[in-house]
């Protein structure tokens, strides 16, 4: 059995190697895609359809949709982007 010090070193080594191996799998959120498209512009091209929730939850649906639109358009910076995709939320 490994001593606590060796176990900690081994865990750190495995974590570091795993992180290094996976670091090439991620792309920056507001950089460019593999095809050269601006990621923020692609996210802004998503149309969020209204969320119909029954009764008292109607306001919650409005808030969720509004927040999604705000986040996808980078708080309005890309608001005029033509819509290419539709996001339909269901309950």
């Amino acid at each position: 059995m490994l001593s606590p010090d060796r176990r900690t070193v081994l865990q750190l080594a495995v974590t570091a190697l795993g992180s290094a191996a996976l670091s090439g799998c991620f792309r920056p959120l507001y950089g460019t895609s593999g095809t050269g498209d601006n990621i923020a512009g692609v996210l802004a091209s998503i149309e969020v359809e209204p969320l119909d929730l029954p009764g008292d939850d109607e306001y919650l649906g409005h808030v969720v949709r509004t927040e999604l639109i705000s986040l996808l358009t980078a708080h309005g910076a890309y608001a005029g982007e033509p819509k290419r995709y539709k996001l339909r939320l269901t309950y």
Side-chain angles (χ1 to χ4, degrees):
M1 181 170 215
L2 294 174
S3 68
D5 290 336
R6 284 188 166 188
R7 180 177 290 163
T8 302
V9 170
L10 182 62
Q11 287 174 344
L12 287 174
V14 168
T15 302
L17 287 173
S19 297
L22 292 175
S23 65
C25 298
F26 299 102
R27 296 178 191 217
L29 183 59
Y30 291 106
T32 56
S33 69
T35 61
D37 293 334
N38 183 355
I39 299 290
V42 172
L43 289 174
S45 68
I46 299 173
E47 177 184 348
V48 181
E49 293 187 351
L51 178 59
D52 291 329
L53 294 177
D56 295 337
D57 292 334
E58 184 178 329
Y59 176 73
L60 177 63
H62 169 75
V63 170
V64 168
R65 179 177 183 263
T66 304
E67 285 298 314
L68 278 172
I69 291 171
S70 179
L71 292 171
L72 290 172
T73 60
H75 301 288
Y78 292 88
E81 198 71 26
K83 304 303 180 195
R84 298 188 299 182
Y85 307 102
K86 284 189 178 187
L87 175 63
R88 182 175 297 135
L89 303 171
T90 58
Y91 174 72

